[in-house]
Amino acid sequence: MYAEGEGVPRDDIQALMWFTLAAQLNHKDAIENRDNAISTMTAAQIAAAKKLVREWRAVTPSPPVR
């Protein structure tokens, strides 16, 4: 949604955060989308997304890995 601006304003940093979280669960499409997003983003944007991932992980229990 954030990558395409579907229903929400487009936000590459938020998109990368969600792609990263899903990729960490071995979601194949998320891995590809994460890698594609990273290839178009600045180092500062990537760092901001990583910070959001850390903050989200700090307050959200990890789902079971299948």
Side-chain angles (χ1 to χ4, degrees):
M1 293 173 60
Y2 286 106
E4 300 296 326
E6 294 179 15
V8 296
R10 183 179 170 144
D11 187 328
D12 293 337
I13 294 169
Q14 286 286 327
L16 181 56
M17 179 194 84
W18 290 110
F19 290 148
T20 300
L21 290 167
Q24 290 173 347
L25 296 173
N26 296 318
H27 189 283
K28 186 177 180 178
D29 290 338
I31 294 167
E32 183 177 337
N33 289 333
R34 177 201 60 200
D35 294 346
N36 288 338
I38 286 171
S39 73
T40 65
M41 296 174 73
T42 67
Q45 289 173 310
I46 295 166
K50 287 181 179 182
K51 181 177 186 269
L52 291 176
V53 169
R54 286 190 306 273
E55 292 171 350
W56 191 87
R57 286 250 176 247
V59 297
T60 307
S62 295
V65 177
R66 297 186 239 174

